[in-house]
Amino acid sequence: MSLSYLQMGDIVYAAVDIHNDDEGGIPVLEAGELIATAGTRGVVVNIGHAEEDPKQKLLLVRFELPDSSLGAPTGCLPEEIATEKPVFGSRE
């Protein structure tokens, strides 16, 4: 999915569980700590590219926390986010 039409301020959803990378890219979180479960709503706060690979698009997303505040900005690859909330089947 290209998601090239996304702009700052757009609402997105985690398409997969998103964790802090093993190097601890978000210093206020432990390495490997869960940032957002699949389906968590977030907002795009910046759009750029990976420093190591300028062709690789990155979206900076702040995901909603359980208290409805926004978490730390998180770098996401386009395949890690979706524009519609994923449906995971019935949980009833």
Side-chain angles (χ1 to χ4, degrees):
M1 181 182 310
S2 143
L3 302 178
S4 61
Y5 55 87
L6 286 176
Q7 298 179 14
M8 289 187 291
D10 284 349
I11 299 297
V12 294
Y13 298 88
V16 296
D17 289 349
I18 298 176
H19 295 84
N20 198 16
D21 60 31
D22 291 335
E23 291 80 37
I26 300 175
V28 297
L29 301 176
E30 295 292 323
E33 187 173 336
L34 181 65
I35 296 170
T37 58
T40 301
R41 184 172 52 178
V43 62
V44 177
V45 294
N46 206 347
I47 300 170
H49 59 84
E51 191 172 301
E52 316 79 47
D53 181 4
K55 295 177 189 168
Q56 177 61 65
K57 185 175 186 173
L58 284 178
L59 297 115
L60 200 60
V61 178
R62 292 185 69 188
F63 289 100
E64 190 172 21
L65 300 175
D67 68 0
S68 297
S69 66
L70 295 175
T74 303
C76 296
L77 299 171
E79 57 268 19
E80 295 177 315
I81 61 171
T83 56
E84 295 182 15
K85 187 170 185 170
V87 177
F88 301 106
S90 177
R91 294 186 181 191
E92 296 179 30

